Structures are given as structure tokens and as C-alpha cells.
Amino acid sequence: MEIEKILLSQRDFFKTQQTKSPAFRKMYLEKLKKLIISNENMLCEAINRDFGKSKFDTFTTELSFILNDIDYYIRNLKSLSKPKKVRTNLVNQLGSSKVYAEPLGCVLVIGAWNYPYQLSLSPIIAAMAAGNCCLLKPSEIAENTMKAMASLINENFPPEYLYVYEGGIEETTALLTLKFDKIFFTGSTKVGKIIYKAAAEHLTPVTLELGGKSPAIVTKDANLEIAAKRIVWGKFLNAGQTCVAPDYLLIEETIQEQFLEMIRKYIKDFQYEPGSEQYTRIINQRNFQRLVRLIDKEKIYSGGNFDEEKLYIEPTILNPIDWSDEIMQEEIFGPLLPVISFQSYNAALNSVLELEKPLAAYLFTHNAEEKEIFTRKLSFGGGCINDTVMHLSNDNLPFGGVGSSGIGNYHGKYGFETFSHQKAVLEKTTWGEPDIKYPPYSEKKLSWIKKLL
């Protein structure tokens, strides 16, 4: 199998120790940056063919993340790679203790189709910065972007260091039979379980970036105008095909009517129309049909129109929705926003707690007590107070899930750590050592050991 030979060549190359050099890492990170900048038009055309994404959205939600990641690691590579001196306890005196960030070896990154560049290349960049050899398997669902990344990387990087493997389910299944030193996967919880099971056969560590039903909660103490604007943007960005998009809206009953009118206004103002710069289409027929089936015609508050030929679904608000409705049983991953009203804030949070832990959660309020309860009571991967989605753009924050929404995290230093082994080294002097730990033992030695330990 060709890919097995490439993996073997990566193993041999990693053993040469070249990837451990900060100068080597920096050189290839800078090369990747130049290639992305010089091939921006090609990358934009490919993603537009896949699901109609505009140059504006491609840069703001894909390429800017990647370029910022590269800049972050180039800027911080020296400090991230430097051994960290830590305190040495009394029993190990006289000595010094350090933690070395050691690359894991040969890593596999399996990307997602919804943000095919960002969710494939950002983990790869972190793995390169940490000093690994990398194999990337982009999602075949976004076929043109897969081919664009393969062309960009395979024609410009040595395969024994970095390689893009094209293919679908069959090729991914074959990859998972091979032994890697790390597997990083972004996608659905269902597929994440398959990845996890395959990795367990080789005791391969994994990072799983999955999904879940991420709530947006709005109370009467919120700035309603800002909340409506930011929820509409976060929900319908990429036609809702965003893992951290608000999946459903929890709204305090006394402000529901006023707030939903604001939501409807911003949907209109943002001009989410077929083929527009502002809006993408649904990625394929399978996902389109799944979403259409979730539209309960009896509960359409606004929107509800769709065009099968153009794979377009209008931003749709569904109200009133109950927790038992079909749309509340799975992650939506599309431009449908179900609305559930509440009278009691605490009761609403308790309802969220009954579901699996989400990848994100959002609260809109100026009430300090509500903020404190939100952050203390709810478990979620990451989120915002008085915004949506934007926590991803801060590389000082870890990005990852919890429970069914994922294992592990990345971005910034957390990405470097994800693809590194923290190697502990204690160095001792060879003089001045007491003999109390050595046989023969005595009550006196035990007394001293108890004091020291």
C-alpha cells in the first residue's frame, strides 16, 4: 500500500532528528505561509466550487486563522520549545528538574468538510511547530478543497515530512489500521467513536474535536439588539454548518416576542440569499435532505423556504419548540434555529444539563449573578458571554470539547502541547548524598524518611 510506504518513510525521517530543530520547523512554517498567500485565489476558487463560499468568508473564517496560527508559532517557537525548569522537591536535593516538550513522531490529522482549510491545516501547523512528521487526510466531502490542499502540499513538501492523502471512507479505514503516534480528528461524535476504537488497537493517543447541541441563552437583562445581531451572525455563518454555531435559542418568556422580531430583522438585513456573498449552500444532497426533514411546517416562525437544485435553505426560525421535538434530538448543523422559552433561568440551565455536554455555550446578559451561575453550573467545551463563536479567534484560549463533544484541545500553546510529549528529567549532583534510602534499613532511617517524604 502506497500510504504505508509513506508512513514508513516518515518514521525513518523522524529518526534523523531533523524535525526537532527549531530552525527546521520555522523554515517549513514560513514556506507554508508563503504558499498559502501566493495560492489564495486557487484556494478560494476550490472552496467556492464545493459550497459557494465567498472570498470574504474564506479569508475571515479559514485563511486568516491559518496565517495567524503560523505567525503565532514562528513568534513563540523558541519559548515553546525551551525546556521548562520546575521546582525540585526536598528529597531530590541537590538536583534540578526540567520538562522537555518532545515531538510525538508521526501524526495523522483527519480534517472536516465544513471549514476544510482551517480544520485541516490548523492542527497540521501545530503538529509541525511541535516537531512532528505529518500525514493529512482532508474530508472527501469537500472534494475540491481536498485536491487543492493535496496539490499545494504534495508538490512543495517532501512526503517523508508532510503529505496529504486523498480518498474517502475506504482510504480512511485503511489509514486507521496503521500505527501513528497521534491521531487528531475533527468531525461528528459518531465517527469520533470509530476513530477512538481504531486508535485503541495501537494505544494511539487521540484528540477528538466533535460537536453537540450548543445553546444560546438570552435573559431579560441582555442588550437585546446586540444579542440578536451576534446570534444571527454566529448561527447562520456558513449556513449554520459550524460546529460551534448556536444550535438552539433559550429565551426568557417576557422578551421572546420582541427578541424574535429583532432576529427576523437581522436575517433580512444580512441578506442571506442564494448565491450571495453572505451565504453558502448546504454541502450536499444528503445533508440538505436531512435538514429539510427537520423543518416542522407547523412551527415556522420565519423562513422555511428551500431550493433543492441550489442546495439552499433559507435561515429558518422554529417556534415554539419543545425539548421532545425531533430537531432537539441531534445536532442541527444547518440554518435552522429552534426556540424554547423559559420562565426560570435556573430551570432552563437544568434542562441544558440533561443533555450531553456541548462543544460551546453562549449567554447574553448583564446580570453578574446569571453570568456566575452560567460558568459554574454548565459544563461545555468553550463559549462566550455576550457573543457567539468568537472565542475561537483568541489563540490564548484552548479550543476543544468535553464528554461527547470531544477529547483534548488545541490553538496556540495548547496545540503545541497536544502534539508534544512532556518529558520529565531530573538531574542530580554526584556528591553530598545521604544514605538513608539505601539498605540496610533501621528505625532511625524510617524516622528520617517520614520527615522528608
Side-chain angles (χ1 to χ4, degrees), residues 194-242:
I194 297 169
I195 303 290
Y196 205 4
K197 186 176 180 180
E201 289 294 317
H202 299 292
L203 293 179
T204 299
V206 298
T207 295
L208 302 176
E209 299 296 345
L210 308 176
K213 295 192 75 64
S214 301
I217 306 164
V218 182
T219 78
K220 66 180 185 298
D221 290 324
N223 180 322
L224 298 187
E225 198 74 37
I226 289 294
K229 189 175 187 178
R230 292 176 179 175
I231 288 172
V232 168
W233 177 80
K235 174 62 181 180
F236 300 112
L237 180 70
N238 210 38
Q241 299 166 118
T242 303

